[in-house]
Each structure stands twice: as C-alpha cells, then as structure tokens.
Amino acid sequence: MGWKTLDDMDLQGKRVLTRVDINVPMEDGRVTDATRIDRIVPTITDIRAKGGSPVLLAHFGRPKGQPSAELSLAQLVPDLEAAFGCPVIFVERPSRDFIDAQTSDAVILVENTRFSAMEEANAPEMAGFLATLGDVYCNDAFSAAHRAHASTAGVAAHLPSCAGRLMQAELQALEAALSNPKRPVGAVVGGAKVSTKLDLLENLVKKIDVLIIGGGMANTFIAAQGAQMGASLQEADLHDTARAILAAAQEAGCRVILPSDGRVSRAFAAGAPHDIIPLNADTVLEDDQMVLDAGDAAASDIAAAFAELKTLIWNGPLGAFEIAPFDTATVSAAKAAAQRTASGDLITVAGGGDTVAALNQAGVADDFTYISTAGGAFLEWMEGKELPGVAALMT
C-alpha cells in the first residue's frame, strides 16, 4: 500500500514519536467516552513490546494557538494510565534531554500540540523540533490525517515513519471497502444536506454499484424530480445538482435507491403522530408536513439491496434517528446489514459521528466489520481526496 507499519520498524531502544487522537469528550473534568483512548492501546502495547518508548503527540479541543488549562492533556493522564496499565509521564515543555532521562519503556505524553499556532500552520520549525523528540515517527491518528499539521504531516519528513495499529486498521478497511472492494459494492449516504456531501456523492457514483440515499438529502433528490415536499428539510437551490448526480450515476451504471415511502409528521418531536405515505415525483405534501424518516417499504427495499451486495459503506442516518419513531428505518436497515455481516455474506465499513451514534442506538455497532473513529478524514477519503497525514507516510 506504500506505507509501513510497526511490523516494519526496528524499535528496540528507540523513542517513538506517536501521533494519537485522544480528543475525547469530557464533562465536569471526567472523560465521558474513552473509545478513542481504548483504540490506541494496541499501538502503545506493541511499541513497548518491541522495545520502544512511546512519546505521545495529540491535540485537545480548539485552543487556537494559546495555552489553556481547560484544554491541557494533563487531565487525561489517569485515563491513559488505566487504559495502558502503566504510568504515563506528562511533560509541558518537552526536550530530548528530558525524554532520554526516562526509562527505556516509558510512556511520555507531550502537552497539547495546538497550544502553539505553528502546529496548524504546519510550520517547518515546529515539525523540525518535534522530530528531535524521537527516533521513529508513528502516526496512529487517522481521524486527524486530513489535516496538514506539524504533528500529522510535517514531522514525517524528518524521521523513519509508519502507521500505528489503528491507522493501519483504518486504511486497510477503507482500501477493502472502496479502493479494491468485493463486488457488488454499495453505499448508504444519509444526513441532512446534499451540500455537505457533494464531493462524496460525485466520487461514489463512479466507483460503486448501488447508492442508497436517505435522510434530508433524499428529500432534496425527490423534490428535484418534481415532488412538493412541504416543510421537509431540503435544499431547493441544489435541485439541478441532484439531477446531475442522478444522471452521472446512470451513466456510470450505478443504481440509485431513494425512499419509496416516508414517515410524515407535522411535528418534529418524539412520539409525534405520523403517517407513512408514498414518495415519488407526484408527491404533494401540505405546507406543514415533513418527511422525517424513510418508510417501511423503503426499509424493505434497502434490505433487499443489501442482500445483493458483498461490500457496504455507510455514512449518515436515514432519518431523524435521534427521536422515535423517526429512527425506525435507520435501525431496521442497520440490523439488516449487521445480520448479513454476521453470516459472513457482507463486509460493512461505517464512519462519521452520526453514523456511529445511529449504529450504537440500533445495538449493532459491534457487528459491523469495521467502524471508523474518524469523521472528516473518513469522509474525505471516501471523496477520493489525498489525506496529508497518510501521504506523508508513503515511501
């Protein structure tokens, strides 16, 4: 694939500069979701097992180049120690002398890289300084790989570089899902707005066999065909774009599935009264009616499409999954995909914050082949864009 992994590196006695993503949610000084910490444990464990000492680089929040006590990585030390099963040495102002004074298997955590404005500017001075802190560079932060920052791209030019276990898993999963998939390959693309996923849709229709569109995005496509969608979320200024995407899909031989029916309500609220109505070019909703979810027929159509696929990529929910009953289609489709995955008939790769939340709500997150921890990086990879943090690892 053009990049090395920890298996390719001699780490004995080396200080391994390791970029991780531990930008975890916190409330009242406590970590509320340690998933990102848990997922870097294999990399830390393997570096130490190979005789190396991890020197962790990470960002936290958006300090805008200024130190902030509230965004200090020092507060994560207890959680990191619990996950790693060893002490973590925190250093605010690192130097190579300080690092070399620690034991050969020490885990060292450097203060928030974004406390310096040079980080996000990818300043050569900062990349060069960071390189002095290690002998090998390991990037395990795929979720930050779409940023050309000093700690994600710049430093890789100065040291022998490789992907950590999480980065490796992300890249292999995406390679299997999009670059070299088992066919037929399909994608579920949902969410609120077409405008946020134009590049994604334009790239996917050229590479996949079936495209399933859901959420508010689907409303825009249905309206573009002539439907009057009432108060439904949709982007009237993108009707021409939607039609162009459908034409490009047809030309590329990609079948597009839009909801054949939808759950319609006059209130965006949990338990709101609703009807299931057909959705097509002739649909006419009243001014206060909204499509908030795909209907039962649409869910059946999606499950039938899954039965024909070998690979499925999922990004975005099919409706307002945060509130019942408008989570019905998302949950139904997620369970159908999970069942096919469990039987060994389907490779499923999902990513994006709302997607992960929706799959967790459906209780099937653990049943998918791979769930990406990345948001923007996952989306940009699917859009076909080069990720600076990945490109920097290429040999």
Side-chain angles (χ1 to χ4, degrees):
M1 293 185 182
W3 39 269
K4 294 180 179 179
T5 72
L6 289 172
D7 297 321
D8 302 309
M9 313 301 287
D10 175 14
L11 303 183
Q12 184 64 45
K14 305 288 181 63
R15 302 294 181 177
V16 184
L17 204 60
T18 309
R19 180 56 160 95
V20 295
D21 182 0
I22 48 176
N23 191 26
V24 293
M26 298 190 71
E27 187 173 321
D28 298 326
R30 297 173 60 87
V31 174
T32 57
D33 183 350
T35 300
R36 285 179 167 171
I37 291 175
D38 294 338
R39 295 190 78 168
I40 65 170
V41 170
T43 293
I44 306 308
T45 301
D46 283 4
I47 290 172
R48 299 182 79 219
K50 289 171 67 69
S53 167
V55 180
L56 306 184
L57 302 177
H59 73 278
F60 190 67
R62 299 179 182 274
K64 299 181 180 179
Q66 297 293 327
S68 164
E70 293 181 354
L71 298 178
S72 172
L73 290 176
Q75 60 192 318
L76 299 185
V77 169
D79 296 271
L80 294 172
E81 291 181 333
F84 301 159
C86 67
V88 173
I89 300 166
F90 174 76
V91 55
E92 183 178 0
R93 297 182 180 277
S95 69
R96 186 57 189 252
D97 287 344
F98 174 86
I99 288 171
D100 284 343
Q102 311 309 313
T103 59
S104 61
D105 65 345
V107 179
I108 301 165
L109 174 64
V110 176
E111 181 59 286
N112 193 337
T113 57
R114 291 187 183 175
F115 279 3
S116 169
M118 290 191 292
E119 159 73 327
E120 295 188 67
N122 194 14
E125 302 94 324
M126 183 166 181
F129 168 73
L130 291 175
T132 68
L133 305 179
D135 306 301
V136 173
Y137 174 69
C138 172
N139 192 341
D140 206 34
F142 177 77
S143 52
H146 59 313
R147 306 299 188 198
H149 293 172
S151 69
T152 61
V155 69
H158 297 272
L159 295 172
S161 301
C162 68
R165 296 306 186 201
L166 179 56
M167 172 76 86
Q168 178 184 352
E170 294 267 7
L171 293 176
Q172 288 175 339
L174 291 173
E175 176 80 11
L178 196 55
S179 300
N180 188 29
K182 292 184 179 180
R183 290 190 176 273
V185 58
V188 172
V189 180
K193 295 184 177 182
V194 176
S195 55
T196 62
K197 297 186 178 180
L198 279 177
D199 291 343
L200 171 61
L201 294 170
E202 290 170 353
N203 185 51
L204 283 180
V205 297
K206 296 180 290 186
K207 295 187 175 183
I208 65 175
D209 303 296
V210 179
L211 173 62
I212 299 161
I213 300 177
M217 295 176 57
N219 294 338
T220 299
F221 278 85
I222 296 168
Q225 295 176 326
Q228 297 180 35
M229 299 298 284
S232 303
L233 176 64
Q234 61 115 351
E235 294 171 284
D237 60 330
L238 289 179
H239 287 181
D240 287 345
T241 300
R243 288 189 286 267
I245 290 171
L246 292 175
Q250 184 174 12
E251 182 178 351
C254 174
R255 180 163 66 102
V256 177
I257 298 176
L258 294 169
S260 56
D261 63 349
R263 282 180 173 76
V264 174
S265 178
R266 287 179 166 83
F268 183 73
H274 66 280
D275 298 306
I276 297 179
I277 67 169
L279 296 178
N280 52 54
D282 298 323
T283 297
V284 178
L285 298 185
E286 296 179 17
D287 289 346
D288 61 346
Q289 287 184 304
M290 300 173 282
V291 178
L292 296 175
D293 190 21
D296 294 339
S300 295
D301 294 341
I302 292 169
F306 289 170
E308 301 173 0
L309 300 177
K310 293 296 183 184
T311 303
L312 176 68
I313 308 162
W314 192 315
N315 179 257
L318 300 175
F321 76 96
E322 305 92 342
I323 55 175
F326 307 112
D327 60 342
T328 304
T330 300
V331 170
S332 174
K335 288 182 176 179
Q339 185 175 9
R340 294 269 302 159
T341 307
S343 65
D345 296 318
L346 185 65
I347 295 170
T348 44
V349 177
D354 282 348
T355 308
V356 176
L359 297 181
N360 280 326
Q361 184 167 320
V364 300
D366 292 341
D367 298 321
F368 271 52
T369 307
Y370 191 80
I371 293 186
S372 173
T373 58
F378 179 84
L379 196 59
E380 289 195 19
W381 177 283
M382 289 176 62
E383 290 169 354
K385 296 178 180 177
E386 181 178 83
L387 305 186
V390 175
L393 300 179
M394 297 298 181
T395 56

